[in-house]
């Protein structure tokens, strides 16, 4: 890797080929020719220029996906054929993993090491759904209510899917949608975040190379307000799978209601990490750091809300503060960088605002709370520890999406549970204890889609992912992630029917 991160970033972006919408197997510019500059968040320098779409571009992509669904045999092919295509795509992602990782890093800011893990996960998600596609069996028979009839339940592709993705895990979040949709036989229009479109464009090239038919996978570039909204509102789209923030998720759900679309929402989180006094504190400290700080805390499941039992509170907080001070920030392409920048300057302003507001409300600054100096112009923010927090603070209730811990004390298991469950979110939670009976009680009592015990932020393709409460609707990954893209059809066939002869005979 180049010693000069700017040169390395330019080289990483140059590897990308086309920078246009991907519609019906071809790259094409926006209808009005508009373009957007894509920035390296670490330097705020332009690394690429891509097409910037609007409603008309979304419509073209939907039309291609509709045609591929309605007028080709794609959804009726044996699922094993689609499994082979997913396996081919996984192999191409593995082949290009290093270059894809560098592209993801210059686009999103995360360290290249993290991006490499992401690419491994993307390939494993493709392979996982290839295996699930092979299991899609024949129609399931039912016991019919008449002797001379046959009833079967068929699982069929849901249709044309709009997939709207966030900037924090551009390719990984896309893979959680694309892989099960291909397995099911759907066609799709994927809209990456306007801030991080690059790895998705490269995915389009790999989709073509893998031999996935034209029109099955399309990419429409642009903002949520223009392209995203057009996808959600289109009557030609059957399903919307959205990953993003709570406010956008509410807007998507409301807009989708007008055409009664199927909607899957993966939204934000405010994820508690509970440290009981009997935990292995040395290990817990490592998991506290790793559970919250990857990608500078810009993870939906970041465990930034610490709940610490009073008797170990001071020891844990002191140790955490000391570790935070030593974290090395810098350009994600530089070896040894432990944390990259936030995605943008507005994001840094927002994070800092949460911190200042908490301090005004009585929190104590134990580490960070300031922009970081790295020699680059990006929105770097020092890992921050706010002690003495309580549940009334906005920093404790709302998703900050930055490297900011809040710490609350508790004195009983019941109090810890009440605090942990006391937000509108229900994405993920973790706790640390050696008490077997408590593990069972607390795992069940936490109202979250994922609960980690003596660990944090472990994801894998077979484990369903999604939120309780306002963290979302539906599930990605696992068998449940495939079910999202399948419709259920009951087919009832009479061989010799016996009509009642009820109407108009007397
Ligand atoms: P965002 O809501 O601002 O944008 C997400 C995507 O939605 C973008 O592509 C955006 O262009 C589009 N969009 C925005 N408004 C829209 C609208 N009205 N109609 C259609 N599309 C619209 O989110 P973000 O800032 O990109 O991502 C961060 C958020 O994503 C955080 O809240 C994070 O917790 C969440 N997230 C959740 C998960 C999960 O699995 N639950 C995973 C990753 C990120």
């Amino acid at each position: 890797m180049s010693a000069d991160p700017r040169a390395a970033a330019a080289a990483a972006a140059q590897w990308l080929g086309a920078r246009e919408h991907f519609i019906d197997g071809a790259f094409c510019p926006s209808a009005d020719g508009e373009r957007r500059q894509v920035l390296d968040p670490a330097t705020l320098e332009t690394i690429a220029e891509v097409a910037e779409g609007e409603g008309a571009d979304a419509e073209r992509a939907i039309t291609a996906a509709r045609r591929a669904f309605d007028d080709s045999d794609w959804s009726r092919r044996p699922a094993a054929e689609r499994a082979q295509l997913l396996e081919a795509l996984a192999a191409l992602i593995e082949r290009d993993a290093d270059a894809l990782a560098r592209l993801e890093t210059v686009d999103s800011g995360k360290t290249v090491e993290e991006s490499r893990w992401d690419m491994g996960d993307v390939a494993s998600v493709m392979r996982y759904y290839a295996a699930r596609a092979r299991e899609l069996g024949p129609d399931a028979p039912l016991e019919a209510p008449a002797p001379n009839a046959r009833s079967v339940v068929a699982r069929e592709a849901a249709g044309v899917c709009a997939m709207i993705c966030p900037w924090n895990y551009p390719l990984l979040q896309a893979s959680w949608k694309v892989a099960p949709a291909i397995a099911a036989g759907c066609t799709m229009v994927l809209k990456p975040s306007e801030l991080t479109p690059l790895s998705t464009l490269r995915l389009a090239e790999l989709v073509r190379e893998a031999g996935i038919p034209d029109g099955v996978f399309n990419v429409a570039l642009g903002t949520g307000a223009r392209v995203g909204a057009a996808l959600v509102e289109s009557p030609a789209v059957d399903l919307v799978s959205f990953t993003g923030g709570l406010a956008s998720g509410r807007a998507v759900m409301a807009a989708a209601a007008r055409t009664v679309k199927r909607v899957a929402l993966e939204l934000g989180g405010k994820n508690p990490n509970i440290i009981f006094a009997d935990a292995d504190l040395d290990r817990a400290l490592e998991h506290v750091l790793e559970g919250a700080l990857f990608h500078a805390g810009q993870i939906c499941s970041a465990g930034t809300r610490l709940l610490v039992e009073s008797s170990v509170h001071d020891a844990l907080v002191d140790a955490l503060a000391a570790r935070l001070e030593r974290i090395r920030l810098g350009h994600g392409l530089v070896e040894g960088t432990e944390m990259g920048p936030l995605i943008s300057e507005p994001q840094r302003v927002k994070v800092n605002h949460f911190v200042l507001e908490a301090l005004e409300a009585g929190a104590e600054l134990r580490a960070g709370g300031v922009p970081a100096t790295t020699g680059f112009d990006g929105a770097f923010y020092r890992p921050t520890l706010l002690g003495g927090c309580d549940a009334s603070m906005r920093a404790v209730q709302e998703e900050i999406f930055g490297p900011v811990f809040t710490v609350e004390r508790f004195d009983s298991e019941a109090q810890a549970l009440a605090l942990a469950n006391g937000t509108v979110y229900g994405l993920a939670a973790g706790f640390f204890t050696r008490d077997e009976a408590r593990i069972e009680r607390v795992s069940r009592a936490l109202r979250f889609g994922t609960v980690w015990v003596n660990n944090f932020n472990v994801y894998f393709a077979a484990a369903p992912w999604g939120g309780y409460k306002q963290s979302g609707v539906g599930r990605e990954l696992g068998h449940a992630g495939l079910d999202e893209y399948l419709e259920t059809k009951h087919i009832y066939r009479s061989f010799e029917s016996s009509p009642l002869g009820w109407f108009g005979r007397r």
Side-chain angles (χ1 to χ4, degrees):
M1 200 166 301
S2 164
D4 173 7
R6 283 190 174 81
Q14 217 157 22
W15 174 72
L16 178 67
R19 291 140 195 240
E20 318 291 342
H21 308 282
F22 182 69
I23 299 177
D24 217 3
F27 288 94
C28 50
S30 295
D32 63 6
E34 208 180 315
R35 305 199 60 79
R36 164 186 289 269
Q37 300 197 329
V38 180
L39 306 183
D40 174 352
T43 60
L44 300 184
E45 287 168 11
T46 300
I47 44 164
E49 230 186 54
V50 300
E52 172 75 347
E54 41 136 342
D57 302 297
E59 283 305 325
R60 276 193 297 155
I62 294 166
T63 302
R66 192 73 259 169
R67 207 168 35 235
F69 190 78
D70 294 337
D71 303 343
S72 85
D73 67 347
W74 168 249
S75 67
R76 290 180 298 280
R77 287 184 186 188
E81 280 184 32
R82 296 194 299 271
Q84 270 174 1
L85 292 170
L86 278 173
E87 281 155 1
L89 191 53
L92 293 174
I93 286 160
E94 283 159 354
R95 181 196 70 188
D96 287 354
D98 199 54
L100 275 167
R102 277 182 278 123
L103 190 64
E104 198 78 309
T105 286
V106 297
D107 209 4
S108 69
K110 69 177 73 171
T111 65
V112 71
E113 188 96 32
E114 292 173 65
S115 295
R116 286 193 195 109
W117 297 334
D118 289 357
M119 296 314 139
D121 289 347
V122 169
S124 88
V125 168
M126 300 290 175
R127 291 193 190 285
Y128 174 79
Y129 281 109
R132 298 293 74 74
R134 289 184 193 285
E135 289 167 5
L136 281 172
D139 300 343
L142 285 181
E143 197 179 328
N148 53 0
R150 194 179 67 189
S151 245
V152 293
V153 177
R155 306 299 310 278
E156 297 185 343
V160 173
C161 306
M163 302 169 167
I164 301 179
C165 292
W167 49 259
N168 62 338
Y169 283 81
L171 206 56
L172 186 62
Q173 293 300 328
S175 74
W176 293 10
K177 301 179 191 307
V178 171
I182 289 178
C186 292
T187 63
M188 63 214 79
V189 180
L190 173 55
K191 192 197 89 58
S193 166
E194 57 276 28
L195 300 178
T196 55
L198 304 187
S199 56
T200 303
L201 289 173
R202 190 61 190 193
L203 177 68
E205 293 184 35
L206 299 183
V207 160
R208 199 161 60 175
E209 193 178 339
I212 291 171
D214 294 351
V216 167
F217 173 88
N218 305 276
V219 177
L221 301 167
T223 61
R226 293 165 83 193
V227 175
L231 293 173
V232 176
E233 283 163 18
S234 168
V237 168
D238 299 294
L239 176 157
V240 177
S241 177
F242 172 88
T243 302
L246 178 52
S248 319
R250 285 186 184 128
V252 165
M253 199 170 189
R258 287 199 277 277
T259 43
V260 196
K261 286 185 175 56
R262 293 173 66 156
V263 176
L265 300 174
E266 296 291 341
L267 307 178
K270 190 71 201 181
N271 314 289
N273 192 352
I274 311 172
I275 316 298
F276 288 100
D278 69 335
D280 175 337
L281 291 181
D282 291 338
R283 275 209 185 135
L285 175 65
E286 298 304 325
H287 288 295
V288 163
L289 289 157
E290 290 166 17
L293 294 182
F294 282 119
H295 202 2
Q298 301 168 116
I299 305 185
C300 54
S301 56
T304 50
R305 185 182 181 195
L306 294 184
L307 300 167
V308 188
E309 194 159 359
S310 286
S311 58
V312 294
H313 173 277
D314 292 356
L316 190 101
V317 169
D318 290 348
L320 181 57
R323 288 288 290 274
L324 294 186
E325 296 294 359
R326 295 210 295 270
I327 291 176
R328 286 191 303 274
L329 277 77
H331 197 294
L333 286 181
V334 173
E335 291 298 346
T337 295
E338 292 173 333
M339 186 184 287
L342 299 176
I343 188 70
S344 65
E345 188 54 31
Q347 184 69 12
R348 179 161 67 180
V349 169
K350 183 181 141 201
V351 168
N352 196 43
H353 187 74
F354 271 112
V355 171
L356 295 178
E357 203 183 272
L359 294 176
E360 264 172 41
E364 184 194 354
L365 188 63
R366 294 296 312 271
V370 286
T373 350
T374 60
F376 299 103
D377 289 337
F380 292 90
Y381 198 77
R382 282 295 323 161
T384 298
L385 182 54
L386 296 170
C389 292
D390 68 60
S392 70
M393 294 174 180
R394 223 163 57 86
V396 169
Q397 293 293 326
E398 294 181 23
E399 184 181 51
I400 299 176
F401 231 51
V404 179
F405 287 101
T406 61
V407 190
E408 297 157 84
R409 290 172 185 267
F410 67 86
D411 293 305
S412 69
E413 185 180 302
Q415 189 192 4
L417 281 169
L419 288 169
N421 284 331
T423 75
V424 299
Y425 292 109
L427 190 59
F431 63 96
F432 289 77
T433 182
R434 293 188 237 230
D435 180 334
E436 288 296 328
R438 171 180 281 151
I439 287 174
E440 183 56 23
R441 278 192 311 270
V442 173
S443 309
R444 305 287 161 182
L446 286 167
R447 301 264 306 142
F448 293 82
T450 296
V451 173
W452 291 294
V453 186
N454 294 327
N455 216 313
F456 212 98
N457 265 343
V458 181
Y459 292 76
F460 51 97
W465 177 256
Y468 280 30
K469 303 197 278 183
Q470 293 185 36
S471 284
V473 177
R475 291 292 178 271
E476 295 195 302
L477 300 180
H479 287 270
L482 178 58
D483 289 343
E484 296 283 351
Y485 294 92
L486 292 169
E487 279 283 12
T488 301
K489 180 184 277 177
H490 173 218
I491 304 172
Y492 180 89
R493 176 181 170 188
S494 273
F495 295 100
E496 204 174 314
S497 69
S498 319
L500 294 175
W502 177 272
F503 288 106
R505 298 268 301 257
R506 270 169 278 184

